Every structure is written in C-alpha cells, then in structure tokens.
Amino acid sequence: MTRPSKTCPICKKPADKEYTPFCSNRCAEVDLGHWLGGRYRIPTSERPAPLAANDEDED
Ligand SMILES: [Zn+2]
C-alpha cells in the first residue's frame, strides 16, 4: 500500500508539496500555533468576563 502523498494532519486533506506535510500555508500556521502554545488559536467566547463585581463598589 503506497501513498502518493501524506495527508495534512490538520484537516486531513492531501498534503501539498510546497507545504508538506500540510495542505497549505494556513494549516502549517495552525500547526505552528499549536507548538507556540495556541498563538494562532481562534478566540472563542468561552472566556467569562474578567470583571463582574464592580457594581458593589457603590455605597
Ligand atoms: Zn490542511
């Protein structure tokens, strides 16, 4: 069983010679982001607001 090319570890598409083992520069950057600690991660709204109890300051 011989594979002509690898598959992109990010999106599982056939890898491109230019960006092997990725399919595109975008996926390469996504993988790079993983290595750098999620610098390229897409921000989500999972984070709760940092401040929430500021109203209590009023006397
Ligand atoms: Zn890809």
Side-chain angles (χ1 to χ4, degrees), residues 6-54:
K6 296 181 179 181
T7 48
C8 176
I10 304 299
C11 67
K12 310 300 181 190
K13 285 181 184 175
D16 189 291
K17 267 185 186 177
E18 289 267 332
Y19 306 105
T20 187
F22 307 102
C23 70
S24 64
N25 186 42
R26 185 184 178 90
C27 281
E29 282 191 352
V30 170
D31 189 72
L32 184 67
H34 291 168
W35 286 105
L36 294 180
R39 184 175 281 198
Y40 286 95
R41 269 173 71 185
I42 300 166
T44 64
S45 48
E46 276 179 41
R47 260 189 177 176
L51 23 111
N54 240 2

